[in-house]
PDB file of all heavy atoms in Angstrom:
ATOM      1  N   VAL B  12     -73.291 -47.179  19.573  1.00 96.00           N
ATOM      2  CA  VAL B  12     -72.707 -46.212  18.741  1.00 96.00           C
ATOM      3  C   VAL B  12     -72.739 -44.884  19.433  1.00 96.00           C
ATOM      4  O   VAL B  12     -73.678 -44.287  20.054  1.00 96.00           O
ATOM      5  CB  VAL B  12     -73.625 -46.119  17.434  1.00 96.00           C
ATOM      6  CG1 VAL B  12     -73.072 -45.135  16.421  1.00 96.00           C
ATOM      7  CG2 VAL B  12     -73.766 -47.449  16.726  1.00 96.00           C
ATOM      8  N   MET B  13     -71.525 -44.181  19.351  1.00 93.00           N
ATOM      9  CA  MET B  13     -71.493 -43.002  20.069  1.00 93.00           C
ATOM     10  C   MET B  13     -70.572 -42.060  19.359  1.00 93.00           C
ATOM     11  O   MET B  13     -69.738 -42.351  18.494  1.00 93.00           O
ATOM     12  CB  MET B  13     -70.930 -43.129  21.558  1.00 93.00           C
ATOM     13  CG  MET B  13     -69.590 -43.786  21.549  1.00 93.00           C
ATOM     14  SD  MET B  13     -69.000 -44.203  23.255  1.00 93.00           S
ATOM     15  CE  MET B  13     -68.780 -42.532  23.994  1.00 93.00           C
ATOM     16  N   GLY B  14     -70.835 -40.767  19.569  1.00 90.00           N
ATOM     17  CA  GLY B  14     -70.097 -39.780  18.924  1.00 90.00           C
ATOM     18  C   GLY B  14     -68.879 -39.356  19.859  1.00 90.00           C
ATOM     19  O   GLY B  14     -68.806 -39.809  20.985  1.00 90.00           O
ATOM     20  N   MET B  15     -67.968 -38.607  19.266  1.00 89.00           N
ATOM     21  CA  MET B  15     -66.684 -38.390  20.033  1.00 89.00           C
ATOM     22  C   MET B  15     -66.913 -37.476  21.290  1.00 89.00           C
ATOM     23  O   MET B  15     -65.946 -37.418  22.058  1.00 89.00           O
ATOM     24  CB  MET B  15     -65.691 -37.745  19.002  1.00 89.00           C
ATOM     25  CG  MET B  15     -65.110 -38.791  17.934  1.00 89.00           C
ATOM     26  SD  MET B  15     -63.806 -38.148  16.988  1.00 89.00           S
ATOM     27  CE  MET B  15     -64.621 -36.909  15.930  1.00 89.00           C
ATOM     28  N   THR B  16     -67.986 -36.831  21.308  1.00 89.00           N
ATOM     29  CA  THR B  16     -68.192 -35.992  22.460  1.00 89.00           C
ATOM     30  C   THR B  16     -69.035 -36.691  23.473  1.00 89.00           C
ATOM     31  O   THR B  16     -69.408 -36.035  24.490  1.00 89.00           O
ATOM     32  CB  THR B  16     -68.784 -34.661  22.074  1.00 89.00           C
ATOM     33  OG1 THR B  16     -70.073 -34.973  21.424  1.00 89.00           O
ATOM     34  CG2 THR B  16     -67.874 -33.938  21.092  1.00 89.00           C
ATOM     35  N   ASN B  17     -69.580 -37.801  23.213  1.00 90.00           N
ATOM     36  CA  ASN B  17     -70.480 -38.521  24.055  1.00 90.00           C
ATOM     37  C   ASN B  17     -69.843 -39.068  25.368  1.00 90.00           C
ATOM     38  O   ASN B  17     -68.646 -39.285  25.310  1.00 90.00           O
ATOM     39  CB  ASN B  17     -71.232 -39.667  23.427  1.00 90.00           C
ATOM     40  CG  ASN B  17     -72.199 -39.073  22.366  1.00 90.00           C
ATOM     41  OD1 ASN B  17     -72.632 -39.912  21.530  1.00 90.00           O
ATOM     42  ND2 ASN B  17     -72.709 -37.892  22.441  1.00 90.00           N
ATOM     43  N   LYS B  18     -70.677 -39.326  26.353  1.00 94.00           N
ATOM     44  CA  LYS B  18     -70.210 -40.176  27.531  1.00 94.00           C
ATOM     45  C   LYS B  18     -71.102 -41.279  27.656  1.00 94.00           C
ATOM     46  O   LYS B  18     -72.399 -41.068  27.626  1.00 94.00           O
ATOM     47  CB  LYS B  18     -70.285 -39.356  28.920  1.00 94.00           C
ATOM     48  CG  LYS B  18     -69.256 -38.281  29.003  1.00 94.00           C
ATOM     49  CD  LYS B  18     -69.353 -37.554  30.472  1.00 94.00           C
ATOM     50  CE  LYS B  18     -68.245 -36.605  30.729  1.00 94.00           C
ATOM     51  NZ  LYS B  18     -68.480 -36.015  32.035  1.00 94.00           N
ATOM     52  N   LYS B  19     -70.570 -42.427  27.748  1.00 95.00           N
ATOM     53  CA  LYS B  19     -71.322 -43.738  27.830  1.00 95.00           C
ATOM     54  C   LYS B  19     -70.557 -44.596  28.875  1.00 95.00           C
ATOM     55  O   LYS B  19     -69.330 -44.480  29.145  1.00 95.00           O
ATOM     56  CB  LYS B  19     -71.500 -44.387  26.439  1.00 95.00           C
ATOM     57  CG  LYS B  19     -72.220 -43.571  25.471  1.00 95.00           C
ATOM     58  CD  LYS B  19     -73.724 -43.443  25.843  1.00 95.00           C
ATOM     59  CE  LYS B  19     -74.517 -42.859  24.592  1.00 95.00           C
ATOM     60  NZ  LYS B  19     -76.007 -42.787  24.895  1.00 95.00           N
ATOM     61  N   SER B  20     -71.274 -45.757  29.101  1.00 97.00           N
ATOM     62  CA  SER B  20     -70.674 -46.640  30.062  1.00 97.00           C
ATOM     63  C   SER B  20     -71.009 -48.147  29.541  1.00 97.00           C
ATOM     64  O   SER B  20     -72.102 -48.452  29.057  1.00 97.00           O
ATOM     65  CB  SER B  20     -71.280 -46.647  31.414  1.00 97.00           C
ATOM     66  OG  SER B  20     -70.817 -45.404  31.933  1.00 97.00           O
ATOM     67  N   LEU B  21     -70.073 -48.957  29.554  1.00 98.00           N
ATOM     68  CA  LEU B  21     -70.195 -50.423  29.356  1.00 98.00           C
ATOM     69  C   LEU B  21     -70.402 -51.167  30.757  1.00 98.00           C
ATOM     70  O   LEU B  21     -69.702 -50.765  31.637  1.00 98.00           O
ATOM     71  CB  LEU B  21     -69.129 -51.086  28.531  1.00 98.00           C
ATOM     72  CG  LEU B  21     -68.703 -50.329  27.359  1.00 98.00           C
ATOM     73  CD1 LEU B  21     -67.687 -51.084  26.613  1.00 98.00           C
ATOM     74  CD2 LEU B  21     -69.922 -49.996  26.455  1.00 98.00           C
ATOM     75  N   LYS B  22     -71.277 -52.054  30.817  1.00 98.00           N
ATOM     76  CA  LYS B  22     -71.547 -52.885  32.034  1.00 98.00           C
ATOM     77  C   LYS B  22     -71.252 -54.403  31.886  1.00 98.00           C
ATOM     78  O   LYS B  22     -71.525 -54.858  30.820  1.00 98.00           O
ATOM     79  CB  LYS B  22     -72.921 -52.604  32.567  1.00 98.00           C
ATOM     80  CG  LYS B  22     -73.246 -51.231  32.863  1.00 98.00           C
ATOM     81  CD  LYS B  22     -74.579 -51.022  33.447  1.00 98.00           C
ATOM     82  CE  LYS B  22     -74.960 -49.609  33.633  1.00 98.00           C
ATOM     83  NZ  LYS B  22     -74.051 -48.878  34.610  1.00 98.00           N
ATOM     84  N   CYS B  23     -70.658 -54.863  32.949  1.00 98.00           N
ATOM     85  CA  CYS B  23     -70.412 -56.384  32.923  1.00 98.00           C
ATOM     86  C   CYS B  23     -70.780 -56.830  34.363  1.00 98.00           C
ATOM     87  O   CYS B  23     -70.668 -56.238  35.343  1.00 98.00           O
ATOM     88  CB  CYS B  23     -68.891 -56.562  32.688  1.00 98.00           C
ATOM     89  SG  CYS B  23     -68.331 -58.222  33.053  1.00 98.00           S
ATOM     90  N   GLU B  24     -71.375 -58.097  34.362  1.00 97.00           N
ATOM     91  CA  GLU B  24     -71.824 -58.722  35.567  1.00 97.00           C
ATOM     92  C   GLU B  24     -71.499 -60.183  35.610  1.00 97.00           C
ATOM     93  O   GLU B  24     -71.656 -60.843  34.635  1.00 97.00           O
ATOM     94  CB  GLU B  24     -73.356 -58.406  35.765  1.00 97.00           C
ATOM     95  CG  GLU B  24     -73.849 -58.750  37.095  1.00 97.00           C
ATOM     96  CD  GLU B  24     -75.270 -58.190  37.381  1.00 97.00           C
ATOM     97  OE1 GLU B  24     -75.833 -57.582  36.364  1.00 97.00           O
ATOM     98  OE2 GLU B  24     -75.808 -58.200  38.380  1.00 97.00           O
ATOM     99  N   GLN B  25     -71.080 -60.670  36.722  1.00 97.00           N
ATOM    100  CA  GLN B  25     -70.925 -62.129  36.927  1.00 97.00           C
ATOM    101  C   GLN B  25     -71.366 -62.506  38.347  1.00 97.00           C
ATOM    102  O   GLN B  25     -71.359 -61.708  39.294  1.00 97.00           O
ATOM    103  CB  GLN B  25     -69.493 -62.569  36.753  1.00 97.00           C
ATOM    104  CG  GLN B  25     -68.527 -61.787  37.608  1.00 97.00           C
ATOM    105  CD  GLN B  25     -68.219 -62.479  38.953  1.00 97.00           C
ATOM    106  OE1 GLN B  25     -68.539 -63.706  39.125  1.00 97.00           O
ATOM    107  NE2 GLN B  25     -67.461 -61.881  39.871  1.00 97.00           N
ATOM    108  N   HIS B  26     -71.995 -63.692  38.507  1.00 92.00           N
ATOM    109  CA  HIS B  26     -72.525 -64.261  39.675  1.00 92.00           C
ATOM    110  C   HIS B  26     -71.899 -65.536  39.972  1.00 92.00           C
ATOM    111  O   HIS B  26     -72.476 -66.387  40.636  1.00 92.00           O
ATOM    112  CB  HIS B  26     -74.017 -64.240  39.686  1.00 92.00           C
ATOM    113  CG  HIS B  26     -74.678 -62.920  39.637  1.00 92.00           C
ATOM    114  ND1 HIS B  26     -74.599 -61.999  40.658  1.00 92.00           N
ATOM    115  CD2 HIS B  26     -75.314 -62.320  38.516  1.00 92.00           C
ATOM    116  CE1 HIS B  26     -75.327 -60.954  40.180  1.00 92.00           C
ATOM    117  NE2 HIS B  26     -75.658 -61.183  38.990  1.00 92.00           N
ATOM    118  N   MET B  27     -70.596 -65.713  39.773  1.00 94.00           N
ATOM    119  CA  MET B  27     -69.928 -66.893  40.037  1.00 94.00           C
ATOM    120  C   MET B  27     -69.035 -66.855  41.265  1.00 94.00           C
ATOM    121  O   MET B  27     -68.192 -67.687  41.567  1.00 94.00           O
ATOM    122  CB  MET B  27     -68.917 -67.397  38.813  1.00 94.00           C
ATOM    123  CG  MET B  27     -69.728 -67.611  37.541  1.00 94.00           C
ATOM    124  SD  MET B  27     -68.789 -67.991  36.128  1.00 94.00           S
ATOM    125  CE  MET B  27     -68.479 -66.343  35.436  1.00 94.00           C
ATOM    126  N   GLY B  28     -69.022 -65.650  41.978  1.00 93.00           N
ATOM    127  CA  GLY B  28     -68.239 -65.506  43.119  1.00 93.00           C
ATOM    128  C   GLY B  28     -66.768 -65.258  42.733  1.00 93.00           C
ATOM    129  O   GLY B  28     -65.930 -65.339  43.638  1.00 93.00           O
ATOM    130  N   HIS B  29     -66.527 -64.837  41.498  1.00 94.00           N
ATOM    131  CA  HIS B  29     -65.157 -64.567  41.087  1.00 94.00           C
ATOM    132  C   HIS B  29     -64.650 -63.250  41.721  1.00 94.00           C
ATOM    133  O   HIS B  29     -65.497 -62.383  41.890  1.00 94.00           O
ATOM    134  CB  HIS B  29     -65.100 -64.525  39.535  1.00 94.00           C
ATOM    135  CG  HIS B  29     -65.166 -65.811  39.008  1.00 94.00           C
ATOM    136  ND1 HIS B  29     -65.276 -66.061  37.667  1.00 94.00           N
ATOM    137  CD2 HIS B  29     -65.192 -67.070  39.528  1.00 94.00           C
ATOM    138  CE1 HIS B  29     -65.330 -67.315  37.218  1.00 94.00           C
ATOM    139  NE2 HIS B  29     -65.334 -68.091  38.474  1.00 94.00           N
ATOM    140  N   ARG B  30     -63.283 -63.229  42.146  1.00 94.00           N
ATOM    141  CA  ARG B  30     -62.822 -62.056  42.646  1.00 94.00           C
ATOM    142  C   ARG B  30     -62.003 -61.204  41.644  1.00 94.00           C
ATOM    143  O   ARG B  30     -61.220 -60.195  42.149  1.00 94.00           O
ATOM    144  CB  ARG B  30     -62.156 -62.399  44.013  1.00 94.00           C
ATOM    145  CG  ARG B  30     -63.028 -63.065  44.957  1.00 94.00           C
ATOM    146  CD  ARG B  30     -64.413 -62.591  45.224  1.00 94.00           C
ATOM    147  NE  ARG B  30     -64.389 -61.171  45.564  1.00 94.00           N
ATOM    148  CZ  ARG B  30     -64.496 -60.822  46.914  1.00 94.00           C
ATOM    149  NH1 ARG B  30     -64.581 -61.745  47.799  1.00 94.00           N
ATOM    150  NH2 ARG B  30     -64.458 -59.486  47.225  1.00 94.00           N
ATOM    151  N   ALA B  31     -61.703 -61.692  40.496  1.00 94.00           N
ATOM    152  CA  ALA B  31     -60.943 -61.001  39.473  1.00 94.00           C
ATOM    153  C   ALA B  31     -61.919 -60.672  38.287  1.00 94.00           C
ATOM    154  O   ALA B  31     -62.518 -61.609  37.837  1.00 94.00           O
ATOM    155  CB  ALA B  31     -59.701 -61.802  39.200  1.00 94.00           C
ATOM    156  N   MET B  32     -61.710 -59.521  37.699  1.00 96.00           N
ATOM    157  CA  MET B  32     -62.510 -59.192  36.598  1.00 96.00           C
ATOM    158  C   MET B  32     -61.679 -58.319  35.616  1.00 96.00           C
ATOM    159  O   MET B  32     -60.760 -57.575  36.129  1.00 96.00           O
ATOM    160  CB  MET B  32     -63.750 -58.324  36.979  1.00 96.00           C
ATOM    161  CG  MET B  32     -64.743 -59.085  37.740  1.00 96.00           C
ATOM    162  SD  MET B  32     -66.360 -58.370  38.061  1.00 96.00           S
ATOM    163  CE  MET B  32     -67.242 -58.656  36.512  1.00 96.00           C
ATOM    164  N   TYR B  33     -61.870 -58.421  34.373  1.00 96.00           N
ATOM    165  CA  TYR B  33     -60.951 -57.903  33.255  1.00 96.00           C
ATOM    166  C   TYR B  33     -61.722 -57.213  32.181  1.00 96.00           C
ATOM    167  O   TYR B  33     -62.929 -57.584  31.829  1.00 96.00           O
ATOM    168  CB  TYR B  33     -60.243 -59.143  32.596  1.00 96.00           C
ATOM    169  CG  TYR B  33     -59.547 -60.132  33.629  1.00 96.00           C
ATOM    170  CD1 TYR B  33     -60.312 -61.086  34.257  1.00 96.00           C
ATOM    171  CD2 TYR B  33     -58.267 -60.185  33.817  1.00 96.00           C
ATOM    172  CE1 TYR B  33     -59.801 -61.916  35.136  1.00 96.00           C
ATOM    173  CE2 TYR B  33     -57.632 -61.107  34.651  1.00 96.00           C
ATOM    174  CZ  TYR B  33     -58.417 -62.043  35.256  1.00 96.00           C
ATOM    175  OH  TYR B  33     -57.838 -62.843  36.155  1.00 96.00           O
TER     176      TYR B  33
END
Side-chain angles (χ1 to χ4, degrees):
Chain B
V12 179
M13 61 186 289
M15 290 190 286
T16 58
N17 291 158
K18 284 185 180 181
K19 297 286 185 183
S20 296
L21 310 184
K22 296 185 185 302
C23 173
E24 191 166 3
Q25 57 88 14
H26 294 289
M27 295 178 275
H29 289 171
R30 302 316 299 266
M32 297 186 77
Y33 310 77

